[in-house]
Amino acid sequence: MTMDKQMQEELKRLFETKLNRAMRMYLETCTHCGNCVEACHVWKSMPETRYTPVGRSEIIRKVFLKYFKLEGKIAPWLGEVIELDDIALDRFYDAAYSCTGCRRCMVYCPFGIDTQMIMSIAKLLLIGADKEPKLLSMLADMSIAKGQDVESSQSGFEEAVKNLEPEVEALWKTAPGRKTIPVGTENADVLFVGLSGKDSIVPAAAILNAAGENWTLSSFEAVNFGAFMGDLERTKKIASRIIAEAERLKVKEVAIVECGTAYRVMKQQTGKHPFEVVSFVELIARYLREGRIKLDRTFKPRLTYHDPCQMGRNGGIYEDPRFIISNFVRYFIELTPNREMNWCCGGGGGLVAMGEPEFRMKSGRVKAEQVKASGAEVICTACENCRTQLTDLSEHYELGIKVESLTDLVAHALVK
Amino acid sequence: MLTDKLILFIAAAGDAVSKATGVAESTAAVGAAVSADAVSSATVANAPVTGLAQIFGRIEYFIMVPMVYLALLFCLAAIVLHIAAIFKAPAQPYSLRIYPAAKRPGLAAAIDAFGMPQIRRRKPVFWVFLMIFHISFLLLILGHLDILPQISLVPEASRDMLGAGLVGVFVTVPLFYFLFRRFRSPNREITVPADYLLLILLLFLCLFGDLMSWGNSWTANGFVMTKQDFAQYFGGLLSFSFADPRLVLHGSHYHFVVIHVLLAEVFFIVLPFSKVVHAFLTLPINMLRRK
């Protein structure tokens, strides 16, 4: 299928905007050694070449060869170059949205090639061709719109938050004279950024109150749909809402709810700020170390922990969750493999937000097998995407394992 | 200046070859008295110089002298431009590190680049061949430099190159492995024609090299061409004398030397556009995931 010449030129221009130093190295260094193949949970569950990290990257690499390299022009057959057309874009979609951006392949690659970054080219070109997943762009645009018109949604937000207070009080009685869920408090030490659902706010509020923290709740949700789309502009706009709020309230720290992508975007991809960015898991671990909260060590079921890719392999948070677990769990079992080698759950990269139940369940087979082999009765994690995917996997594969949020378990284990 | 000299010598190559053939004749005649191997070269030298032989002589001279300079110059310039284009591009605005974070990122990247632990853990056989290949390839470069009398890692009087032919074999055997593993799934599906051709080019380049450095010693009367002969050829190249290599490289094996040099030149020309650039990028690319 031939593409409109003007569109092709526009897509080539977009492609070129992504060719920074790292990307050029990633596109020019792969020797097709094949070591990355077995790293991908999708390939492990569905062994097709298109589901290998190198298979995905090759589609981009072959377009790069055709339009940006001399050898692609002189001897296109040598690299089997690909013309930028509608068929190529369909392959881009298949590659980009079958990759969760877990970056497990980076651990396997002898050069450390970042497939997630290469896939950001595919995602950008899909946006350019108006072929991106519409649900993601709609959600991203809604987030941006919310940031542009805070005042109109603020009163409704505060009222909704007020309704959550009894649930927070049930978990932990707030000290007299303090607000159960403070909103818009200036000079707070911590700005907690939750998700739109109450499940992310209630347990966190209980923990923050138990620690006697001077905190305030963000008016925005942490999740960044722009990052799932690989759209740097939207990603920045969505993150800038929280940054502006934190600066306006003059907070010392921004604590990101259990959401791996939101944490990584805020921590690593938005530059330097006058405040620190921490994951809520790090904050809980700090409260425990400082003796600001105590947990009841009576949790009896065999529990295992799933390292979310964006928090572990891509964020460096491995030990804090384990330290927290050691404070309230009697029988802890490690998944095999774990930490940087842990299998991706298969829900990242926007797949959970997009739905895609059939693909997620098929590609999550290896994860389901790993969880089953652990013999655990409960699996907890620190990422909402992972929690949703693990819950779906547990149901689909009849694993008989309960899936919990780490924050939620901590909130229910709080003692004086 | 050098270019003028080069053009002049290319034009004069025909004369040089004709004269060199004459010299080779007498040299071969002397050689025949001391070595049975020289019989073959003498046979060649005594054969009437037809038009075709003259054309081949000119082609061989071009391959053995001017094209060496051209290929090396092209290779160096293209690599510099290629690497410069990459490093001129804007840097990544945020870290691409993976965790756990290395305490010494530079050291970790160097271990990744030169030790390939990612492959050792998962494909130990492949890793063994990769290590043998890369170490031997470096020794091979060293062995070629050692031909120059100024370096002399192997005693100047030695008839052997560094490793006495073994280094070449250690490069060749892994190349067979690298090529044949590409025929197996899933590697077959991710391989493009350029991968096969590069391996085949390297394989033939090394096989002809083996023929000279190792196979050369299989003849009943010992070496046809020795390290000293190659030293004279290299010396001629280094001094830009544009002398005909036939004056110093005797015997019928000369044609194999020409093929070896031609394949090396093709390798130098395609190197900047091939996956071999990973040799120059492996350290900086590994730094991205460590820093």
Side-chain angles (χ1 to χ4, degrees):
Chain A
M1 275 191 281
T2 322
M3 181 183 276
D4 171 30
K5 197 83 188 153
Q6 199 182 339
M7 170 64 80
Q8 201 177 56
E9 287 304 317
E10 172 59 13
L11 295 183
K12 273 159 62 180
R13 190 195 62 77
L14 281 175
F15 198 121
E16 204 164 5
T17 63
K18 298 292 279 184
L19 293 177
N20 64 24
R21 194 181 305 161
M23 188 69 87
R24 280 181 179 271
M25 285 201 268
Y26 287 152
L27 291 174
E28 298 197 24
T29 309
C30 179
T31 53
H32 303 150
C33 73
N35 209 42
C36 62
V37 170
E38 291 181 7
C40 183
H41 66 281
V42 185
W43 183 84
K44 201 75 179 168
S45 303
M46 296 185 278
E48 292 177 46
T49 309
R50 65 187 174 134
Y51 294 141
T52 62
V54 58
R56 291 187 183 96
S57 303
E58 273 305 285
I59 300 166
I60 305 296
R61 208 167 269 129
K62 286 170 179 177
V63 173
F64 173 68
L65 260 181
K66 173 156 180 72
Y67 297 106
F68 301 99
K69 299 300 290 181
L70 184 67
E71 56 267 40
K73 292 176 172 60
I74 294 173
W77 57 275
L78 273 174
E80 295 176 341
V81 303
I82 292 176
E83 172 105 24
L84 199 47
D85 56 14
D86 288 329
I87 297 169
L89 286 176
D90 288 345
R91 293 178 73 184
F92 279 17
Y93 192 101
D94 190 46
Y97 289 100
S98 68
C99 172
T100 56
C102 74
R103 299 167 98 218
R104 193 170 188 262
C105 45
M106 270 184 96
V107 183
Y108 278 63
C109 175
F111 304 110
I113 292 171
D114 186 345
T115 309
Q116 185 195 33
M117 198 168 142
I118 296 177
M119 287 303 100
S120 74
I121 294 181
K123 289 184 171 184
L124 182 68
L125 266 61
L126 286 167
I127 294 168
D130 197 27
K131 287 193 168 191
E132 82 280 12
K134 291 291 173 275
L135 186 60
L136 285 185
S137 55
M138 190 186 76
L139 289 166
D141 290 341
M142 276 169 64
S143 296
I144 294 166
K146 194 179 166 187
Q148 288 163 344
D149 189 15
V150 190
E151 282 175 16
S152 67
S153 59
Q154 194 63 17
S155 60
F157 175 70
E158 283 176 16
E159 199 180 314
V161 164
K162 196 103 187 125
N163 292 335
L164 301 178
E165 289 186 352
E167 290 183 54
V168 179
E169 291 293 323
L171 287 170
W172 189 265
K173 206 93 191 127
T174 311
R178 300 192 81 156
K179 281 187 178 174
T180 307
I181 306 179
V183 179
T185 312
E186 281 190 25
N187 298 311
D189 290 333
V190 172
L191 173 71
F192 173 71
V193 193
L195 295 170
S196 52
K198 68 171 185 176
D199 292 347
S200 73
I201 299 170
V202 172
I207 295 166
L208 288 159
N209 290 340
E213 187 63 86
N214 171 24
W215 72 286
T216 187
L217 179 67
S218 170
S219 309
F220 304 107
E221 69 288 344
V223 64
N224 197 315
F225 294 106
F228 292 145
M229 294 172 68
D231 186 338
L232 205 62
E233 209 172 305
R234 281 183 168 111
T235 305
K236 279 183 181 168
K237 278 184 185 168
I238 293 168
S240 67
R241 304 168 314 158
I242 300 163
I243 295 165
E245 185 184 34
E247 286 175 348
R248 180 170 50 81
L249 297 176
K250 301 182 193 74
V251 298
K252 289 180 187 152
E253 269 181 326
V254 169
I256 305 290
V257 70
E258 291 184 347
C259 176
T261 302
Y263 169 70
R264 190 169 166 226
V265 168
M266 281 296 287
K267 178 84 177 176
Q268 300 178 357
Q269 301 178 4
T270 55
K272 292 205 170 192
H273 310 295
F275 51 84
E276 292 293 321
V277 176
V278 291
S279 154
F280 194 63
V281 173
E282 291 175 286
L283 206 58
I284 298 172
R286 192 198 303 163
Y287 292 156
L288 281 168
R289 286 192 188 99
E290 291 172 355
R292 290 170 70 177
I293 59 169
K294 284 194 176 72
L295 303 180
D296 183 11
R297 201 190 287 263
T298 54
F299 190 89
K300 285 179 185 165
R302 292 188 302 276
L303 181 134
T304 189
Y305 175 72
H306 164 77
D307 287 287
C309 301
Q310 304 305 337
M311 287 182 67
R313 191 179 305 114
N314 303 325
I317 302 174
Y318 291 124
E319 301 314 320
D320 279 350
R322 287 167 174 80
F323 169 70
I324 297 166
I325 288 166
S326 71
N327 273 270
F328 72 96
V329 171
R330 286 193 178 181
Y331 309 108
F332 175 64
I333 308 162
E334 281 283 12
L335 285 175
T336 306
N338 55 64
R339 292 178 172 82
E340 75 268 31
M341 296 311 300
N342 185 35
W343 283 110
C344 171
C345 65
L351 285 179
V352 162
M354 287 159 65
E356 305 284 341
E358 196 186 334
F359 179 78
R360 281 195 289 122
M361 291 308 103
K362 278 185 182 171
S363 62
R365 187 180 56 78
V366 67
K367 185 74 207 179
E369 287 169 1
Q370 181 201 22
V371 172
K372 194 173 183 178
S374 73
E377 294 164 271
V378 177
I379 183 166
C380 77
T381 188
C383 173
E384 181 61 17
N385 250 344
C386 300
R387 199 184 61 76
T388 308
Q389 168 73 353
L390 289 169
T391 305
D392 291 348
L393 285 176
S394 179
E395 280 173 22
H396 182 81
Y397 288 98
E398 297 175 351
L399 300 176
I401 194 166
K402 212 172 166 205
V403 184
E404 296 280 6
S405 124
L406 182 58
T407 305
D408 204 32
L409 288 177
V410 169
H412 282 88
L414 286 169
V415 286
K416 292 268 181 198
Chain B
M1 276 301 282
L2 183 66
T3 327
D4 295 345
K5 202 174 174 185
L6 202 66
I7 294 164
L8 199 70
F9 271 93
I10 294 168
D15 295 339
V17 169
S18 311
K19 284 172 196 167
T21 316
V23 178
E25 256 178 77
S26 57
T27 315
V30 175
V34 289
S35 165
D37 292 308
V39 174
S40 58
S41 58
T43 313
V44 172
N46 289 332
V49 182
T50 62
L52 202 61
Q54 222 171 20
I55 291 167
F56 275 123
R58 285 178 192 187
I59 292 171
E60 284 187 333
Y61 173 80
F62 181 73
I63 289 167
M64 289 297 282
V65 185
M67 198 168 154
V68 172
Y69 299 121
L70 294 173
L72 278 172
L73 204 69
F74 178 84
C75 181
L76 280 173
I79 287 172
V80 168
L81 290 174
H82 191 149
I83 304 292
I86 289 173
F87 284 92
K88 239 171 53 189
Q92 176 68 15
Y94 55 85
S95 170
L96 294 166
R97 178 164 59 177
I98 52 168
Y99 295 85
K103 282 179 188 155
R104 297 155 101 183
L107 181 67
I111 291 170
D112 288 342
F114 302 117
M116 296 175 277
Q118 297 80 13
I119 293 179
R120 191 196 50 191
R121 278 184 219 118
R122 288 162 199 106
K123 291 183 176 151
V125 176
F126 183 32
W127 180 81
V128 167
F129 279 111
L130 277 171
M131 290 308 280
I132 292 173
F133 174 80
H134 283 95
I135 293 169
S136 304
F137 199 86
L138 287 175
L139 289 173
L140 206 64
I141 295 169
L142 207 63
H144 280 76
L145 293 174
D146 182 51
I147 288 174
L148 296 167
Q150 292 90 330
I151 296 179
S152 280
L153 291 172
V154 173
E156 238 179 282
S158 169
R159 288 152 69 89
D160 287 307
M161 278 176 65
L162 185 73
L166 212 61
V167 172
V169 175
F170 279 154
V171 175
T172 312
V173 173
L175 279 169
F176 275 108
Y177 176 80
F178 298 156
L179 185 63
F180 290 128
R181 72 182 287 277
R182 294 219 167 261
F183 297 126
R184 287 183 57 194
S185 189
N187 299 321
R188 191 178 54 207
E189 290 86 347
I190 58 173
T191 301
V192 293
D195 298 325
Y196 290 119
L197 287 177
L198 182 65
L199 284 171
I200 291 167
L201 171 65
L202 276 168
L203 195 58
F204 277 96
L205 169 61
C206 290
L207 281 172
F208 278 100
D210 292 336
L211 191 72
M212 278 176 288
S213 62
W214 191 38
N216 210 359
S217 61
W218 295 344
T219 52
N221 298 297
F223 285 70
V224 178
M225 290 176 199
T226 62
K227 190 186 164 213
Q228 290 86 3
D229 297 330
F230 292 124
Q232 286 189 63
Y233 167 54
F234 272 37
L237 286 175
L238 215 62
S239 63
F240 295 96
S241 71
F242 287 86
D244 193 293
R246 209 66 176 103
L247 297 170
V248 291
L249 299 175
H250 315 301
S252 55
H253 276 190
Y254 177 73
H255 306 295
F256 292 108
V257 180
V258 174
I259 295 171
H260 177 71
V261 172
L262 175 66
L263 291 172
E265 287 161 351
V266 174
F267 176 68
F268 282 130
I269 291 164
V270 300
L271 188 154
F273 310 101
S274 73
K275 294 295 177 191
V276 185
V277 287
H278 77 260
F280 306 99
L281 297 175
T282 182
L283 200 58
I285 198 172
N286 267 301
M287 276 300 279
L288 292 173
R289 75 168 149 194
R290 295 296 180 190
K291 203 173 176 184

